[in-house]
Amino acid sequence: NVTNARAQAELFYDNNSGVYSTLCTSGTNNLTQFITGATNAGSTAVVCADSDTQWALEARLKSSTVYYCVDSTGAAATSSASTIADGTDYVCGA
């Protein structure tokens, strides 16, 4: 489900004057459905961060210590710790 957020984020970007800001929280075609979906699927930690030029969405996998992250660079990665936990990191694994 989180992987599909990349396509939705690009639609948002195209429909919002070429910016990602508010992608995680408001507007049309935003990522709130993916955040809700990950939470409803059992993720205990979901973080989404956006700025005008970048975004990242990360969810802790259910019953696991593994995090899955996708971002505006096209990355999709897993890690053993959160990589965008403070809400200002926009690249998975950075």
Side-chain angles (χ1 to χ4, degrees):
N1 191 27
V2 171
T3 296
N4 294 329
R6 290 184 294 197
Q8 193 68 37
E10 294 313 307
L11 288 172
F12 180 92
Y13 182 84
D14 290 343
N15 290 326
N16 289 280
S17 303
V19 296
Y20 293 113
S21 60
T22 73
L23 172 67
C24 297
T25 57
S26 64
T28 305
N29 298 321
N30 62 25
L31 297 187
T32 57
Q33 65 188 354
F34 297 97
I35 296 165
T36 300
T39 301
N40 290 344
S43 179
T44 57
V46 181
V47 178
C48 188
D50 59 46
S51 71
D52 283 351
T53 59
Q54 301 175 83
W55 66 273
L57 174 63
E58 176 182 77
R60 184 175 167 197
L61 301 180
K62 182 179 174 181
S63 302
S64 176
T65 58
V66 174
Y67 292 79
Y68 184 72
C69 183
V70 294
D71 66 31
S72 54
T73 68
T78 59
S79 63
S80 60
S82 177
T83 59
I84 62 168
D86 69 2
T88 60
D89 299 318
Y90 308 107
V91 179
C92 298

